[in-house]
């Protein structure tokens, strides 16, 4: 294994995060704080408890998950797209480094940033609402698995995209709506039966539900189903990246 | 001697049907400077990119240091440094950081002393803390070379290394390339400055329309395919070459003020002595004499025209 290469790419990507710390870390924290002010305090004060906790506390896992999904995708997609855009990808492709090592370094860095930001948002949330985490290890497991899965998904988008517009299309037009409709701000139990069933086809429901279970011990779907769906998504993304490197899709002629 | 790069029957057709390489076979010797010449679209960059791993090979095989570039890609790629034609670098990184990154990427542990040595050899040490985006084009080209040398490669590919570089820097780079060759690094360069190949190369390969049409030692090539001219400036212009001199194959140039004789410099008898004797016999007075060797460029253009 070319551990020096993995370390070099990982450090390079992490250095980029700290070079753009306002955009990378401060911005999502401010956005999340605004969500808490608007949904938690202004609107949430008029909503009764859900699952035995205040509305403000109820939306914490959903907000963290929504931030992680979007940040994982944007970090990983930009990480691999930018070298393609500037032409520096030549160095990566001519280096003695395997596909798995490239993916591990880029996705590992993007997932690290997401976990960091998730924890920062969690700390920010604690300033606004009384927090409880019933299953902290499961919470961490979901945080890491979701960050990895969606960083992999972002990596795929970064290879697929051939322009900055395409880089934004999937996060804005697919992921964000799915996140909003995935039970971030409500329990899908509150929906009419038809929309409840429709929601079960939304993969984000399983992520939010499992993550919320680790906080309050209650969930829309079984935690094992949530875990299983997350792992299936992760394996699916791994298979696609493997195919991309094997065939040289949009990387090599 | 075992070649350090051995390309056998390599062909490459792109997805759009363009046949970039046609059954190319080529050996590059360890420690030489090999210049690959060819017009635009001839297949030079495709050939380099296949050896370096940037383009998937079609049929045929490529071995570097005895290892297959596909099956043993880690070994072959760690032996190679590539300086691409485009100035592609992370603009926001410092010079030292980007060169150190390249060393790690190619599997070598951090070695600030080696990075310093490379940067000093390329006159970049004073710029080590500068961001790449602040450098001039020539400096960026040096940084690309430093990145390619960061992992101490045995083979260095230079794809149009002095494109857009001023004359002074070009000569500095030539000196640097010769210095690298002296340390045992094998250098393969493509260039459209044929004087560059003439100045530096030990051997020359000419590629045209995806086929290698000639590989030869530069000196042998210049000697065998090159022509030498004797140019005799006359005191008084002639209206025509006197009939007594026609056996010398002379051409009249410069409005009759110059006689030009093309001859084989490697032949036992060049006929120059007889020519001067006959000129004296005809009473033709000479103002000046010069000889001129044809350039590699003229040989190159001649070969391409022959094949057109």
């Amino acid at each position: 294994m070319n551990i020096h290469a993995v370390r070099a790419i990982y450090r390079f990507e992490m250095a980029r995060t700290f070079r753009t710390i306002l955009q990378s870390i401060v911005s999502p924290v401010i956005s999340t704080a605004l969500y808490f002010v608007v949904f938690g305090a202004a609107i949430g004060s008029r909503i009764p408890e859900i699952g035995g906790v205040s509305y403000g506390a109820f939306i914490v896992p959903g907000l963290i998950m929504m931030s992680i999904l979007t940040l994982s995708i944007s970090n990983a997609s930009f990480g691999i797209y930018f070298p393609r855009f500037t032409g520096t990808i030549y160095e990566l492709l001519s280096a003695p480094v395997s596909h798995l090592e490239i993916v591990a370094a880029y996705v590992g860095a993007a997932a690290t940033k997401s976990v960091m930001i998730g924890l920062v948002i969690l700390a920010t949330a604690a300033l606004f609402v009384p927090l409880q985490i019933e299953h902290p290890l499961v919470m961490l497991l979901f945080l890491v698995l979701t960050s990895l899965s969606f960083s992999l998904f972002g990596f795929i988008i970064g290879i697929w995209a051939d322009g900055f517009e395409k880089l934004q299309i999937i996060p804005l037009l697919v992921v964000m709506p799915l996140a909003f409709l995935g039970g971030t701000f409500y329990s899908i139990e509150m929906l009419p039966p038809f929309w409840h069933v429709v929601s079960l086809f939304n993969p984000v429901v399983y992520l939010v539900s499992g993550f919320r279970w680790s906080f309050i011990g209650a969930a829309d779907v079984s935690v094992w189903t949530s875990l299983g769906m997350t792992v299936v998504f992760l394996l699916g993304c791994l298979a696609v990246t493997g195919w991309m490197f094997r065939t040289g899709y949009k990387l090599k002629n | 001697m075992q070649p350090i790069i051995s390309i056998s029957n390599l062909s490459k057709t792109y997805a759009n049907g363009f046949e970039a390489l046609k059954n190319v076979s080529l050996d590059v010797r360890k420690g030489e400077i090999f210049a690959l010449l060819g017009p635009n679209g001839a297949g030079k960059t495709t050939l380099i990119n296949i050896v370096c791993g940037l383009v998937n090979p079609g049929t045929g095989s490529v071995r570097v240091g005895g290892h297959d570039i596909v099956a043993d890609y880690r070994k072959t790629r760690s032996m190679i440094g590539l300086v691409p034609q485009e100035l592609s670098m992370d603009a926001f990184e410092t010079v030292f950081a980007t060169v150190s990154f390249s060393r790690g990427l190619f599997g070598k542990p951090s070695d600030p002393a080696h990075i310093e040595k490379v940067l000093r050899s390329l006159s970049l040490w004073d710029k080590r803390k500068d961001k790449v985006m602040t450098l001039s084009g020539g400096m960026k080209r040096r940084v690309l070379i430093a990145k390619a040398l960061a992992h101490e490669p045995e083979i260095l590919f230079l794809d149009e290394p002095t494109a857009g570089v001023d004359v002074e820097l070009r000569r500095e780079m030539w000196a640097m390339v010769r210095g690298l060759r002296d340390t045992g690094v094998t250098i393969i360069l493509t260039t459209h400055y044929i004087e560059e190949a003439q100045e530096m190369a030990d051997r020359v390969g000419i590629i045209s329309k995806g086929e290698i049409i000639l590989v030869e030692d530069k000196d042998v090539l210049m000697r065998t395919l090159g022509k030498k001219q004797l140019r005799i400036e006359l005191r008084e212009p002639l209206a025509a070459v006197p009939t007594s001199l026609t056996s010398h194959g002379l051409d009249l140039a410069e409005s009759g003020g110059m006689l030009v004789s093309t001859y084989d410099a490697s032949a036992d008898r060049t006929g120059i002595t007889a020519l001067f004797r006959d000129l004296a016999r005809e009473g033709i007075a000479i103002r000046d004499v010069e000889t001129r060797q044809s350039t590699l460029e003229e040989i190159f253009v001649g070969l391409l025209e022959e094949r057109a």
Side-chain angles (χ1 to χ4, degrees):
Chain A
M1 182 170 179
N2 187 347
I3 193 71
H4 296 295
V6 175
R7 193 182 294 147
I9 298 169
Y10 183 87
R11 281 185 178 166
F12 178 87
E13 285 297 300
M14 292 308 290
R16 189 164 60 82
T17 304
F18 292 111
R19 206 165 50 216
T20 55
I21 196 155
L22 274 178
Q23 180 199 329
S24 301
I25 294 177
V26 178
S27 165
V29 169
I30 290 174
S31 311
T32 311
L34 289 173
Y35 275 121
F36 281 121
V37 170
V38 175
F39 290 100
I43 298 173
S45 60
R46 295 159 190 252
I47 298 175
E49 285 189 348
I50 305 176
V53 294
S54 69
Y55 182 68
F58 178 82
I59 64 170
V60 169
L63 281 178
I64 294 174
M65 200 49 80
M66 194 167 76
S67 297
I68 286 176
L69 298 189
T70 50
L71 289 171
S72 297
I73 290 174
S74 66
N75 279 327
S77 61
F78 191 79
I80 189 66
Y81 177 74
F82 199 62
R84 289 180 57 220
F85 177 71
T86 58
T88 55
I89 191 85
Y90 86 89
E91 200 174 20
L92 192 65
L93 297 177
S94 64
V97 55
S98 71
H99 307 153
L100 200 62
E101 288 158 358
I102 293 174
V103 172
Y106 276 104
V107 170
T112 304
K113 287 178 225 173
S114 296
V115 170
M116 278 166 47
I117 290 165
L119 294 175
V120 170
I121 293 172
L122 186 63
T124 310
L127 301 174
F128 292 90
V129 290
L131 272 183
Q132 61 175 75
I133 304 173
E134 288 200 6
H135 307 282
L137 288 179
V138 178
M139 188 272 286
L140 274 177
L141 179 69
F142 267 105
L143 197 61
V144 171
L145 275 180
T146 308
S147 299
L148 278 175
S149 306
F150 278 80
S151 294
L152 261 174
F153 186 52
F155 191 82
I156 292 167
I157 293 172
I159 293 178
W160 165 77
D162 44 24
F164 281 100
E165 192 186 9
K166 270 192 173 178
L167 209 58
Q168 299 294 333
I169 281 177
I170 303 274
L172 287 178
L173 297 186
V174 180
V175 176
M176 188 60 93
L178 286 180
F180 268 94
L181 299 172
T184 302
F185 296 105
Y186 57 85
S187 164
I188 61 168
E189 297 292 336
M190 297 159 82
L191 296 172
F194 174 75
W195 291 109
H196 179 261
V197 173
V198 169
S199 293
L200 293 177
F201 289 96
N202 179 354
V204 178
V205 164
Y206 300 92
L207 300 174
V208 172
S209 176
F211 197 51
R212 184 169 284 139
W213 179 85
S214 70
F215 278 75
I216 63 176
D220 290 331
V221 291
S222 150
V223 67
W224 293 110
T225 308
S226 292
L227 198 59
M229 291 295 278
T230 310
V231 171
V232 165
F233 186 66
L234 180 73
L235 294 176
C237 290
L238 266 178
V240 174
T241 47
W243 170 81
M244 283 177 149
F245 275 105
R246 244 190 343 272
T247 58
Y249 175 77
K250 298 219 175 171
L251 291 170
K252 289 186 185 185
N253 288 311
Chain B
M1 187 182 14
Q2 178 87 359
I4 196 157
I5 297 175
S6 184
I7 298 167
S8 303
N9 308 113
L10 182 65
S11 296
K12 172 70 186 177
T13 304
Y14 286 108
N16 62 7
F18 177 67
E19 202 175 359
L21 295 176
K22 300 169 190 167
N23 210 32
V24 167
S25 293
L26 173 70
D27 283 349
V28 177
R29 298 170 190 155
K30 188 174 170 59
E32 72 175 342
I33 299 179
F34 185 88
L36 190 59
L37 305 179
N40 286 338
K44 303 186 294 289
T45 300
T46 297
L47 187 60
I48 285 182
N49 285 349
I50 287 176
V51 178
C52 294
L54 298 175
V55 169
N56 289 324
T59 57
S61 76
V62 181
R63 301 184 79 80
V64 175
H67 307 287
D68 183 81
I69 59 159
V70 177
D72 296 323
Y73 72 94
R74 283 189 196 273
K75 282 181 184 162
T76 62
R77 292 185 195 174
S78 61
M79 292 172 70
I80 295 173
L82 168 65
V83 181
Q85 198 171 334
E86 304 294 330
L87 293 173
S88 307
M89 273 176 291
D90 195 307
F92 304 103
E93 286 290 309
T94 64
V95 170
F96 195 91
T98 195
V99 176
S100 300
F101 170 78
S102 299
R103 183 174 172 84
L105 193 60
F106 279 77
K108 286 286 178 81
S110 172
D111 185 351
H114 177 71
I115 303 296
E116 180 178 344
K117 188 177 128 194
V118 171
L119 293 181
R120 283 192 189 280
S121 72
L122 289 158
S123 307
L124 282 169
W125 182 243
D126 292 342
K127 302 280 182 188
R128 66 190 181 281
K129 292 177 184 168
D130 292 4
K131 287 190 174 175
V132 168
M133 64 197 295
T134 65
L135 303 180
S136 67
M139 284 289 178
K140 284 179 183 163
R141 181 75 61 187
R142 290 186 204 206
V143 175
L144 278 180
I145 296 173
K147 282 168 76 68
L149 294 175
H151 65 285
E152 301 159 69
E154 293 175 48
I155 302 164
L156 185 66
F157 280 94
L158 298 162
D159 195 3
E160 303 278 0
T162 55
V165 168
D166 63 44
V167 176
E168 189 185 352
L169 181 56
R170 193 179 306 162
R171 294 202 176 276
E172 277 182 33
M173 283 194 180
W174 291 353
M176 184 216 62
V177 169
R178 281 194 206 95
L180 280 171
R181 191 264 310 271
D182 293 343
T183 64
V185 176
T186 305
I187 291 151
I188 297 102
L189 69 93
T190 69
T191 178
H192 63 262
Y193 298 118
I194 298 179
E195 57 163 326
E196 191 161 78
Q198 187 167 333
E199 179 78 22
M200 291 204 297
D202 298 312
R203 285 199 309 150
V204 173
I206 295 179
I207 185 168
S208 175
K209 296 175 184 166
E211 293 177 83
I212 296 278
I213 58 175
L214 180 135
V215 176
E216 190 57 273
D217 281 358
K218 182 191 71 187
D219 293 337
V220 174
L221 185 66
M222 303 283 288
R223 216 167 38 239
T224 54
L225 292 181
K227 292 171 184 167
K228 198 151 189 183
Q229 284 185 335
L230 174 68
R231 299 166 72 84
I232 304 165
E233 192 182 343
L234 306 177
R235 195 175 293 276
E236 298 292 335
L238 296 173
V241 177
T243 49
S244 61
L245 299 176
T246 49
S247 62
H248 292 289
L250 294 170
D251 293 315
L252 206 52
E254 309 282 335
S255 306
M258 185 171 287
L259 285 169
V260 180
S261 165
T262 302
Y263 64 99
D264 180 1
S266 60
D268 286 343
R269 290 175 176 274
T270 59
I272 293 174
T273 311
L275 172 60
F276 280 111
R277 190 186 59 225
D278 292 348
L279 284 170
R281 188 182 299 149
E282 285 292 327
I284 297 173
I286 297 169
R287 185 192 296 276
D288 199 3
V289 171
E290 67 167 334
T291 59
R292 183 172 170 276
Q293 175 83 49
S294 53
T295 62
L296 183 57
E297 181 161 5
E298 287 162 342
I299 297 170
F300 171 70
V301 170
L303 279 167
L304 291 184
E305 280 173 355
E306 267 178 35
R307 291 186 59 89

